[in-house]
Amino acid sequence: MLNFYFRLYAGSVKGPQVVDFLRALVRHIPQPLLLVWDRLPAHRSRVVPEYLDRLGGWIQVEYLPPYAPEFNPVEYIWAYWKQHELPNVCPKDYWQLSEGARRTLRRMRRRPRLITAFWKQASLWPA
């Protein structure tokens, strides 16, 4: 099943935050996972492959080609999110931004046809 999972962090995402997110995925999803990742430095930091190795293949990672945002469904998620879910939002503080972001991302996640459209647009949908 196609889906997307998210977790918001204050500041920039680094290796420890990626590992924290992966731990949450392993707890939440009771089956092996395939992650399709861009080449964000945090995804390739030393602590991430060390954590993945300890899982013994439970999580497999495939990297998108470098400099190819058109193949990344997450780029389409963010574009849709900014244009349709959060236009003209002016939060007063980080908490208000975080709550609004979580609410709208959860709403998007409940629309499987929308998620499928992002994958198709990225040309990653199986033929």
Side-chain angles (χ1 to χ4, degrees), residues 11-92:
S12 61
V13 174
K14 298 194 176 3
Q17 288 86 7
V18 172
V19 170
D20 176 66
F21 180 70
L22 293 175
R23 282 189 180 116
L25 282 178
V26 168
R27 283 191 308 269
H28 183 72
I29 301 173
Q31 59 204 30
L33 301 172
L34 170 64
L35 298 178
V36 179
W37 266 350
D38 59 13
R39 295 178 186 271
L40 181 75
H43 293 159
R44 299 176 286 124
S45 72
R46 180 183 48 78
V47 296
V48 174
E50 287 174 358
Y51 174 72
L52 293 173
D53 287 345
R54 288 194 304 267
L55 294 176
W58 190 256
I59 296 179
Q60 296 293 315
V61 175
E62 290 294 329
Y63 284 101
L64 293 167
Y67 308 107
E70 67 277 8
F71 291 129
N72 190 343
V74 172
E75 296 294 336
Y76 298 108
I77 289 170
W78 294 143
Y80 179 90
W81 185 56
K82 288 187 273 187
Q83 292 174 4
H84 300 280
E85 297 290 338
L86 289 180
N88 303 317
V89 170
C90 187
K92 294 180 177 141

